[in-house]
Amino acid sequence: MEQQTEQACIICGQMKEEGIVIVSHFICEDCEAEMVRTEAEDAKYRFFVGRMKKIDLQKNA
């Protein structure tokens, strides 16, 4: 059985165990669920986009 360790979410900044990792950046399951439910017209959408920009994707990968 693998023991999970807490990581800081790039969206909310809280330490959580459950979530996803995208290019070595952790997003907790609560923020992931909220992002999926957020409409593009919602003011919170821009907040999520800004936080996701922290993920440095390599060009020419």
Side-chain angles (χ1 to χ4, degrees), residues 6-20:
E6 288 189 336
Q7 298 180 62
C9 175
I10 66 165
I11 306 297
C12 67
Q14 294 184 24
M15 298 297 290
K16 304 270 183 105
E17 289 184 2
E18 300 291 328
I20 61 173

Side-chain angles (χ1 to χ4, degrees), residues 19-53:
I20 61 173
V21 176
I22 301 175
V23 192
S24 75
H25 293 279
F26 178 73
I27 300 173
C28 72
E29 63 183 3
D30 296 332
C31 288
E32 177 190 3
E34 189 173 356
M35 288 190 316
V36 170
R37 290 189 309 263
T38 302
E39 297 290 332
E41 299 80 24
D42 191 320
K44 216 167 197 188
Y45 182 83
R46 287 184 184 257
F47 169 77
F48 289 135
V49 169
R51 293 295 184 157
M52 293 292 290
K53 285 182 179 181

